[in-house]
Amino acid sequence: MILDCRFANVCCRFDATASLYCLQTLSCLSSFQLPLSAATSNLSCLYFKLDVPVQRPLAEPLHSFEYSDAGCKCEFFVDGGSYFFCMTNVIDETHICLRYDGANTVECSTLIDHSFSRFAIWFAVSMFLVNHNASFIHASAVVCEQGAVLCLGESGTGKSTHTQLWLRNVPNTFLLNDDSPIISALGSSPLACGSPWSGKTPCYRPEQVPILAFVRLRQAPYNKMTRLSVAQSFAAIYPSLPPSLAFAEHFASLFASIISRCLLSTPCFLLECRPDADAAILCHDTILPQ
Amino acid sequence: MHLNPKYHFHDVAGEHIAVPLNPSDGDLSKVIAFNDTSMALWNHYQHTNFTLDDVVSFLTSEYDVPFDRASADAANWISILKDNGLVFDE
C-alpha cells in the first residue's frame, strides 16, 4: 500500500504493510497527504520502505541522546555509506531502526508506536530535506503580511509564548508551525513551510511563504532587538537545525550552505524580551517598519 | 603546536565561519569568524605542526608588514585560537 506526502519541496512515498495502520492514524500527516493521482514528477521523492528489518550497526554512534517524549534512547550512525537512526524504548527495549542510503531510499523496521513513528519519520525526512537545500528548524513560525518570522531558541525560552503574543496583538497574523517548520533555500528567496511536526500545538499547515526574518529569543527583564552580524546569525540559526545531523560532516556542510543562502537575503535578530505585548510589537515594527 | 582538526570552515554569506564538527560539550553555537589573513594561516598550517616563529615568517613573507607588527599579530592570533580551543600545544 502506497501513501504519498509532500513536505516543502520534496515528496515522500511510504510503502507499508504492517505499518500502514500506524501511518494512517498519524493525523498530523493527513494535511500533507497527496491524492494518488497527484503529479509528483517535479518533486524529488524519498522512497520510504517500511516493514523491512534493519539491524542496528555495530559501529559507535556519531550522536546519541534521550528523547523523553517517546521515552526512548536515540542513536545516529554513519556506517558503510549509509545513515542509520535507531530508537530503543528505555523500559521494554523494543526498538526500531531505519537506514537512509544517502540518496532517495529509506528502509525502516515496522512502526510500533505513534511517538516513535512520528520522530523516526521526522528524522528520515530531515536527512532527505537537507540533501535538497531544505531543513527542519526548531522554531515557532508566525506569518504576517505574507511572510514568516521564525522565532528560535532553546526549549523553554518562550518561542510559542512570543508567537502567541503576535497572534493576540498584531493584526492579520497566523501561526504556520509551532515547533518544526521547514526552511527551503532552493531559490533566491528562502521559504518557510509548514510541516506535520508542530510540537504540542496541532498546527499542520501545508503552506509556504517567504521568510521575513529569523529572531533568536532570549529572556530578559526588558525588550530590546538587535540585528546580528553574519557570524552571530550563523551561531543563532545553526543550533536550531537538527542537531544530530550536525555531527556528520556531509550534513554540517549542507547546513552551512542552507544558512548562507538564507542570510544573503534575510536578516537575523536577537530579541531580548519579556513575555508581553510590547515585545511582539517591537519585533513586528523592527522587521516590518511602517 | 597544531590546529584543531575538529573545526571545519564554511563560506557563509561571504564570510569564513569555523564550526566544530563534534563539540565535546554539544554546544553548536560556538562558531568563529575568520578574516582572510586568518584563513590563509589556517590553510597553510592545516596539516602540519608550527611554531610562533613560523607564523611570523609566513606573515612577513606573504604580507607587507614589519617584523615587530608581524610578531605581535602572530602571538595574538595564536593566543585567540588557543583560548577558543582551535590551537593545541603538542
Side-chain angles (χ1 to χ4, degrees):
Chain A
M1 178 75 186
I2 299 290
L3 187 148
D4 286 343
C5 291
R6 177 176 177 163
F7 309 125
N9 52 309
V10 304
C11 117
C12 187
R13 169 158 291 184
F14 296 98
D15 186 346
T17 49
S19 297
L20 189 63
Y21 174 77
C22 196
L23 274 181
Q24 288 176 329
T25 52
L26 273 175
S27 58
C28 58
L29 283 180
S30 61
S31 304
F32 296 83
Q33 196 172 334
L34 294 168
L36 280 178
S37 57
T40 56
S41 56
N42 61 333
L43 298 172
S44 300
C45 201
L46 174 66
Y47 295 93
F48 206 121
K49 298 178 183 172
L50 286 150
D51 309 310
V52 177
V54 176
Q55 294 296 318
R56 180 183 179 281
L58 295 173
E60 281 293 306
L62 267 186
H63 187 221
S64 56
F65 58 97
E66 302 287 330
Y67 179 53
S68 55
D69 286 5
C72 67
K73 180 183 178 187
C74 301
E75 296 172 300
F76 175 51
F77 303 82
V78 180
D79 193 36
S82 291
Y83 301 93
F84 292 79
F85 182 63
C86 300
M87 302 173 72
T88 306
N89 186 304
V90 293
I91 295 170
D92 62 15
E93 298 203 341
T94 54
H95 66 276
I96 59 172
C97 270
L98 62 83
R99 183 182 78 85
Y100 172 50
D101 68 354
N104 59 1
T105 304
V106 167
E107 293 176 334
C108 183
S109 44
T110 298
L111 300 177
I112 49 176
D113 149 300
H114 280 88
S115 298
F116 269 42
S117 307
R118 277 171 63 97
F119 194 55
I121 296 168
W122 177 88
F123 201 97
V125 173
S126 73
M127 291 187 281
F128 189 66
L129 281 171
V130 178
N131 276 338
H132 293 85
N133 291 306
S135 178
F136 289 115
I137 185 165
H138 185 206
S140 183
V142 65
V143 176
C144 180
E145 297 184 26
Q146 285 81 50
V149 175
L150 295 170
C151 295
L152 316 176
E154 293 172 15
S155 296
T157 304
K159 300 181 293 294
S160 299
T161 301
H162 185 74
T163 50
Q164 286 299 320
L165 288 164
W166 275 68
L167 300 181
R168 278 188 230 123
N169 298 286
V170 181
N172 303 317
T173 55
F174 68 85
L175 191 68
L176 178 65
N177 186 283
D178 205 25
D179 188 65
S180 195
I182 297 166
I183 54 172
S184 171
L186 262 185
S188 57
S189 174
L191 300 174
C193 315
S195 88
W197 294 271
S198 185
K200 294 183 173 64
T201 310
C203 180
Y204 311 123
R205 301 180 78 120
E207 296 175 36
Q208 307 189 7
V209 294
I211 302 173
L212 293 174
F214 298 90
V215 179
R216 188 88 190 170
L217 298 181
R218 182 184 294 164
Q219 294 179 357
Y222 52 85
N223 293 324
K224 181 184 175 190
M225 193 146 168
T226 312
R227 175 99 186 243
L228 298 178
S229 68
V230 168
Q232 291 169 329
S233 300
F234 186 90
I237 297 169
Y238 188 62
S240 299
L241 304 186
S244 291
L245 300 191
F247 286 78
E249 188 174 351
H250 169 73
F251 291 119
S253 293
L254 291 171
F255 280 168
S257 169
I258 291 166
I259 295 171
S260 180
R261 282 165 171 257
C262 288
L263 293 180
L264 286 173
S265 60
T266 310
C268 181
F269 298 90
L270 172 67
L271 177 62
E272 298 163 278
C273 64
R274 298 184 301 252
D276 62 17
D278 286 349
I281 292 164
L282 170 67
C283 192
H284 170 268
D285 291 352
T286 305
I287 295 167
L288 292 164
Q290 297 303 310
Chain B
M1 64 193 94
H2 62 94
L3 300 174
N4 185 345
K6 272 188 170 182
Y7 273 82
H8 290 243
F9 280 84
H10 304 289
D11 178 353
V12 178
E15 297 198 14
H16 312 293
I17 305 288
V19 181
L21 183 61
N22 190 351
S24 51
D25 60 0
D27 186 351
L28 295 170
S29 68
K30 284 182 185 164
V31 307
I32 297 173
F34 271 39
N35 63 18
D36 288 344
T37 308
S38 284
M39 201 66 243
L41 282 167
W42 185 279
N43 288 334
H44 193 69
Y45 295 114
Q46 197 170 12
H47 303 296
T48 182
N49 287 358
F50 61 95
T51 64
L52 172 63
D53 288 345
D54 292 333
V55 179
V56 175
S57 297
F58 180 87
L59 291 176
T60 52
S61 65
E62 294 293 319
Y63 302 96
D64 184 18
V65 55
F67 181 82
D68 288 350
R69 168 82 187 278
S71 296
D73 286 353
N76 193 36
W77 186 74
I78 290 169
S79 171
I80 291 172
L81 295 197
K82 274 188 179 175
D83 288 349
N84 289 282
L86 278 80
V87 164
F88 296 129
D89 289 317
E90 298 310 314

